[in-house]
Amino acid sequence: GDQIYISGYDDKLYCVNAQKGDVQWKIDGGGYYPVTIAGDKIYYSTTSGEVWALQKGNGQKAWTYSVKEGIPTQVRIYKGLAVFGESQGHLRFLDANTGKQVASFDPGRGIMSTPSMDDKAGQIYFISGEANVYAMEAKWTYPQWIPYLQ
């Protein structure tokens, strides 16, 4: 739309009007990665070890998830899930609406890349801290999401 989201060097996330450059809102929290926009929410990985889902219009937090090991990568949305890696830990799968974890995968020494998605092939790709490239399929297996390698 008419909004630009900027992660500032001053430890803030800004929402700026694209036409006039006016700051519409700002929130305390720095980050290395760009936001991910999906529907009425933006997903933001902070340098303080949290992942936030924010309302696009006003920056209000819909939910917060505290990363358990390291700093989170950029969030990607895959089939209703917020997917991201931890620099020292797991690949996490959260319900994008609630922030509740539904699955995780431990590659051994963390995840160094933002996960990439191929919706058509049903694959998730990422690079681990050991420089291994993973191709993973995540499917719904009653009663939960189960990530597994193919």
Side-chain angles (χ1 to χ4, degrees):
D2 289 339
Q3 298 167 322
I4 299 172
Y5 302 98
I6 303 164
S7 179
Y9 287 111
D10 59 353
D11 234 14
K12 292 185 180 13
L13 175 65
Y14 293 88
C15 176
V16 176
N17 179 283
Q19 303 300 318
K20 298 178 183 178
D22 298 336
V23 175
Q24 294 180 323
W25 56 261
K26 64 182 174 180
I27 187 169
D28 289 334
Y32 293 124
Y33 295 99
V35 300
T36 297
I37 302 169
D40 64 344
K41 291 186 181 71
I42 60 174
Y43 299 87
Y44 184 58
S45 299
T46 71
T47 53
S48 61
E50 293 182 321
V51 173
W52 298 341
L54 306 169
Q55 297 299 325
K56 281 193 319 188
N58 59 18
Q60 295 295 311
K61 289 181 186 175
W63 54 259
T64 299
Y65 179 86
S66 294
V67 171
K68 296 172 183 32
E69 301 176 82
I71 297 173
T73 67
Q74 182 179 2
V75 176
R76 299 292 188 172
I77 303 301
Y78 179 73
K79 298 183 179 184
L81 299 174
V83 182
F84 62 92
E86 297 170 327
S87 63
Q88 303 297 313
H90 293 71
L91 184 69
R92 301 280 177 189
F93 298 80
L94 309 182
D95 181 306
N97 290 320
T98 66
K100 180 182 177 191
Q101 181 176 302
V102 296
S104 69
F105 174 76
D106 183 4
R109 286 186 141 173
I111 297 172
M112 301 310 295
S113 68
T114 297
S116 295
M117 313 304 186
D118 183 341
D119 288 331
K120 190 173 184 179
Q123 295 287 314
I124 299 171
Y125 305 95
F126 65 92
I127 301 171
S128 75
E130 294 179 321
N132 293 315
V133 177
Y134 285 82
M136 174 180 284
E137 186 173 357
K139 289 187 175 183
W140 181 259
T141 302
Y142 186 80
Q144 63 186 5
W145 277 92
I146 304 293
Y148 64 95
L149 296 177
Q150 258 186 288

